[in-house]
Amino acid sequence: MSTDRRTLLAGLGSTTALGLGLVLPRLTRAQQETDVMSNTTTILRNGRITTLDPDTPEAEALAIRDGLIVAVGSEADVMRLSEGAQIIDLGGRRVIPGLNDSHTHVIRGGLNYNMELRWENVPSVADALAMLRRQAANTPAPQWVRVIGGWSEFQFAERRMPTLDEINEAAPDTPVFVLHLYARAMLNRAALRVMGIGRDTPNPPGGEIERDARGNPTGMLIARPSALILYSTLGQGPKLPREDQVNSTRHFMRELNRLGVTSVIDAGGGGQNYPEDYDVVQELHEKDQLSLRIAYNLFAQTPGEELNDYERWIAMTEPGAGDGWLRMNGAGENLAWSAADFENFLEPRPEPGPVMEAELERIVALLADNDWPFRIHATYDETIDRFLTVFERVTGGAPFRTRFIIDHAETVSPRNIERIKALGGGIATQHRMAFQGEYFVARYGADAAQATPPIREMLKTGLPVGGGTDATRVASYDPWVAMHWLTTGRTVGGLPLYGDDALLTREEALAIWTTGSAWFSGEQEVKGRLSPGMYADLAVLSDDFMTVPDDRIRGIRAVMTIVGGRIVHGSDTFAGHAPPLPPASPSWSPVAAFASPADRAAPLAPAALDMRACHDGCASGCDLHGHAHGIAWASPIPVQDKGAFWGALGCSCFAL
């Protein structure tokens, strides 16, 4: 808890009702009116406010002072506190608590955001290639064009990925790296040259360099099943200078603010070393330029050295170090490299090696002895089962003294949900199935997908459940993709995955993204609800999430976002409240050339069937990969059959 909030709450105590629905801190009535009226700085009126506070679930107005909510209730009552206050008319718009992504990679993502070309909401391969062509012409040597995450071939009218031939035509001279889910990356010929990938380049462990009949690399890198080949290749691209990394991080935070995000928990990442790779967010914090609250985890970097990493970090810092804007949150999501299970549904389920238990137990015991919260990546129930056996051995079956988090948990079983709860843990869920659902169904069947992940079962047990994205390298950072998936059960491509009994209500979806996610940084007492004494973190929405038709959920944006009582984003009628932001740098940045996904006016639903046709010249078949778009409509993607699989994706041919 920050010093300011501790001081304020010491004088305010708990809450009670004043008048008709006005909620204020518990003081005498005279103290309430004198204290609040003399210090209130902002009142939001004429709104439809979803508070997620069971005592006052809906309100018309609220008052903010010193970064905290101090009053919530009817407009008539809150406006009695308006003397000397800034008053903002919401125009009847829906207000929600600020969204909190409980698993993302914002620190690493911020360093790279200004270099990345985003294909979210782009309606066709033709449009995506036009963007690529324009950006390639604008990108100076030695920089690359990088298409990183947030897109699915099933969003495109053509219902396929771009081919390597098309990418080489669009960018003949500028290196291009296109990441597709956790499964593959496409490099054009210029990228192969600068990377030195040739006929004699060996395949790395867990990855494959696809080759043509003559043994030459085609440009396709394939995870088998590890994405390390993809990420290590991406990591060799040029980095931005420090001043541009600072600018890039500011632009990425503003982009999240446009979507109503006010808090994130950063799950660390490969190549994200502590403390050096945290310098940019630390600098922004020191300059009071953060527009998001960030809690960050520390991710073990080197196989075989994980225990040393955590011993060193325990001597350097502690959970909670920092303040309400930037704070250390514990260990993970990688605790031991031997414990990885890869989330690549195009490949069979991997089995962590037999050394995993011994390595993991030493690390978890160290963390438990030092009361460090931790989080660990686990896609499959079989992996989770082995993890929990280790955890139970460490604690003797008793709950950990502090929280722990299972990340992802797509196939976790009811039995293991109960074991997680008994040990004092929670599950951070993400919308990875919105991007990979077609592949999961193809490999494991539609019945298995019905409870992948079993969020309804988690909630039924009372287990802490958080919402998130796992952005930025694969999934979109857009929380409204997640909200659409949680409440409709459909992938980005429109495939229905779940029955009605598995879907969340809109309030339930909002709750796991706010009150639910707050638990995962130990901040459930200060964020996630709009009630007195809580952080004044909120979003005013472009459309009413509670009533808008399903097909418009993904188009929702924030027209005003407030963090700690400070307006960090404004658009439409609230544009005058928007704080200034320096132009994106460097000047060739895609952020300077293209509307961001949060600002992009493009189709958000999958293209209609009659739009989905092969583009010119696509009808030529391929002896290796086939050509059969109709597979994608008539049945799940045939991941087991190489020819049928690539044919479904419209190969014509990738290897050219």
Side-chain angles (χ1 to χ4, degrees):
M1 184 183 297
S2 69
T3 302
D4 288 347
R5 186 175 188 277
R6 191 181 295 114
T7 302
L8 181 65
L9 294 186
L12 296 182
S14 57
T15 61
T16 187
L18 170 65
L20 299 175
L22 176 63
V23 182
L24 288 171
R26 181 179 291 157
L27 302 171
T28 68
R29 181 144 183 168
Q31 286 174 319
Q32 286 174 341
E33 298 203 10
T34 301
D35 185 54
V36 176
M37 286 179 69
S38 64
N39 291 284
T40 294
T41 58
T42 303
I43 288 178
L44 307 183
R45 58 170 293 271
N46 187 24
R48 288 175 288 179
I49 301 172
T50 298
T51 69
L52 296 182
D53 180 347
D55 293 332
T56 312
E58 290 283 332
E60 297 172 330
L62 59 79
I64 298 168
R65 183 196 53 198
D66 294 335
L68 303 179
I69 304 291
V70 294
V72 180
S74 71
E75 180 166 332
D77 283 327
V78 173
M79 287 300 291
R80 291 191 356 237
L81 312 175
S82 62
E83 184 177 345
Q86 176 190 26
I87 299 173
I88 299 177
D89 189 332
L90 299 173
R93 292 188 183 273
R94 176 67 61 182
V95 179
I96 61 171
L99 299 177
N100 183 351
D101 191 327
S102 63
H103 183 120
T104 189
H105 298 274
V106 72
I107 294 173
R108 184 181 63 195
L111 301 180
N112 298 290
Y113 176 72
N114 280 7
M115 292 191 292
E116 296 173 353
L117 181 66
R118 309 294 304 191
W119 280 351
E120 283 102 324
N121 307 340
V122 175
S124 70
V125 171
D127 288 304
L129 289 169
M131 295 173 67
L132 180 62
R133 184 177 293 106
R134 178 180 170 190
Q135 185 57 41
N138 198 36
T139 301
Q143 285 289 346
W144 301 2
V145 178
R146 310 161 200 233
V147 179
I148 309 295
W151 65 280
S152 163
E153 67 271 35
F154 302 113
Q155 80 192 41
F156 294 142
E158 299 88 345
R159 195 69 170 185
R160 65 174 180 85
M161 291 168 59
T163 69
L164 281 166
D165 224 20
E166 291 169 326
I167 291 171
N168 279 305
E169 187 279 327
D173 302 312
T174 305
V176 171
F177 178 100
V178 178
L179 181 65
H180 179 248
L181 303 178
Y182 300 93
R184 65 185 69 82
M186 292 182 285
L187 276 65
N188 67 347
R189 284 187 287 268
L192 290 175
R193 285 195 300 270
V194 301
M195 290 292 300
I197 298 176
R199 183 186 184 90
D200 299 325
T201 304
N203 289 329
E208 178 186 336
I209 300 170
E210 186 181 76
R211 303 171 196 275
D212 63 20
R214 296 177 295 279
N216 295 314
T218 65
M220 183 76 74
L221 307 182
I222 303 172
R224 296 252 190 253
S226 169
L228 183 61
I229 184 177
L230 314 180
Y231 298 157
S232 61
T233 303
L234 175 63
Q236 294 179 56
K239 294 179 171 55
L240 290 174
R242 171 60 179 260
E243 62 270 22
D244 291 333
Q245 290 181 337
V246 171
N247 179 280
S248 178
T249 300
R250 292 190 67 186
H251 275 268
F252 187 35
M253 290 191 299
R254 179 67 66 88
E255 173 77 346
L256 294 173
N257 298 151
R258 293 186 190 107
L259 296 164
V261 178
T262 59
S263 288
V264 298
I265 305 177
D266 186 284
Q272 188 172 321
N273 293 288
Y274 181 82
E276 54 267 34
D277 290 320
Y278 295 71
D279 285 351
V280 167
V281 291
Q282 186 64 48
E283 176 185 332
L284 290 170
H285 181 38
E286 291 168 359
K287 292 180 177 179
D288 200 26
Q289 291 179 342
L290 290 180
S291 64
L292 290 172
R293 301 185 190 275
I294 302 174
Y296 57 87
N297 286 72
L298 303 185
F299 183 111
Q301 293 295 314
T302 306
E305 298 295 324
E306 301 96 333
L307 185 62
N308 292 339
D309 278 343
Y310 286 116
E311 288 174 336
R312 178 165 50 89
W313 292 333
I314 285 170
M316 292 173 61
T317 186
E318 62 182 356
D323 59 22
W325 285 92
L326 183 65
R327 65 201 304 266
M328 209 284 281
N329 194 48
E333 68 180 290
N334 184 49
L335 299 181
W337 287 94
S338 60
D341 77 338
F342 305 107
E343 58 279 29
N344 179 4
F345 298 142
L346 284 170
E347 296 291 326
R349 177 181 66 83
E351 188 72 44
V355 301
M356 182 270 284
E357 278 83 354
E359 294 185 354
L360 183 61
E361 184 168 346
R362 288 192 292 269
I363 294 165
V364 171
L366 173 70
L367 298 172
D369 287 346
N370 288 275
D371 291 334
W372 267 48
F374 65 88
R375 63 192 311 157
I376 188 166
H377 169 114
T379 301
Y380 295 99
D381 188 60
E382 292 85 350
T383 310
I384 294 169
D385 191 74
R386 291 175 62 182
F387 289 172
L388 294 176
T389 299
V390 171
F391 300 167
E392 288 162 348
R393 203 156 52 232
V394 168
T395 69
F400 285 93
R401 292 193 298 267
T402 187
R403 65 192 176 278
F404 78 93
I405 302 162
I406 299 293
D407 280 310
H408 316 311
E410 272 83 4
T411 70
V412 65
S413 63
R415 172 179 173 269
N416 281 335
I417 290 173
E418 292 289 353
R419 292 172 74 194
I420 294 168
K421 182 181 178 184
L423 288 168
I427 296 178
T429 64
Q430 299 83 40
H431 61 341
R432 303 193 311 181
M433 285 291 285
F435 293 90
Q436 296 196 95
E438 287 85 354
Y439 300 124
F440 187 93
V441 169
R443 180 165 294 280
Y444 299 109
D447 288 345
Q450 286 281 328
T452 305
I455 298 178
R456 174 62 64 200
E457 181 72 21
M458 299 174 196
L459 294 173
K460 185 173 70 176
T461 66
L463 187 79
V465 179
T469 63
D470 201 10
T472 60
R473 282 184 171 171
V474 172
S476 173
Y477 51 74
D478 186 345
W480 301 102
V481 177
M483 294 293 189
H484 182 266
W485 165 71
L486 288 167
T487 57
T488 71
R490 292 182 177 271
T491 68
V492 170
L495 178 69
L497 296 174
Y498 316 118
D500 289 347
D501 58 340
L503 302 181
L504 301 191
T505 67
R506 297 188 186 188
E507 185 166 295
E508 286 173 329
L510 179 61
I512 69 169
W513 263 85
T514 51
T515 56
S517 290
W519 181 89
F520 292 79
S521 58
E523 296 178 284
Q524 61 269 35
E525 298 302 318
V526 294
K527 66 171 66 167
R529 300 188 308 276
L530 298 179
S531 56
M534 305 291 280
Y535 289 150
D537 299 352
L538 58 90
V540 183
L541 302 182
S542 58
D543 292 283
D544 190 342
F545 174 54
M546 297 303 175
T547 61
V548 73
D550 287 347
D551 61 3
R552 289 176 56 189
I553 291 174
R554 282 189 53 202
I556 293 175
R557 301 292 181 258
V559 292
M560 184 167 65
T561 304
I562 295 176
V563 186
R566 178 194 310 168
I567 298 173
V568 296
H569 159 67
S571 62
D572 297 349
T573 57
F574 304 97
H577 296 290
L581 189 67
S585 66
S587 59
W588 53 264
S589 167
V591 174
F594 300 99
S596 73
D599 281 337
R600 192 167 289 161
L604 295 168
L609 180 58
D610 59 4
M611 293 174 60
R612 292 166 171 166
C614 300
H615 90 295
D616 291 344
C618 182
S620 58
C622 169
D623 293 337
L624 175 63
H625 294 137
H627 182 92
H629 288 320
I631 295 173
W633 300 108
S635 63
I637 301 301
V639 298
Q640 315 285 359
D641 182 333
K642 186 175 183 180
F645 169 73
W646 290 115
L649 298 187
C651 170
S652 65
C653 158
F654 281 97
L656 292 177

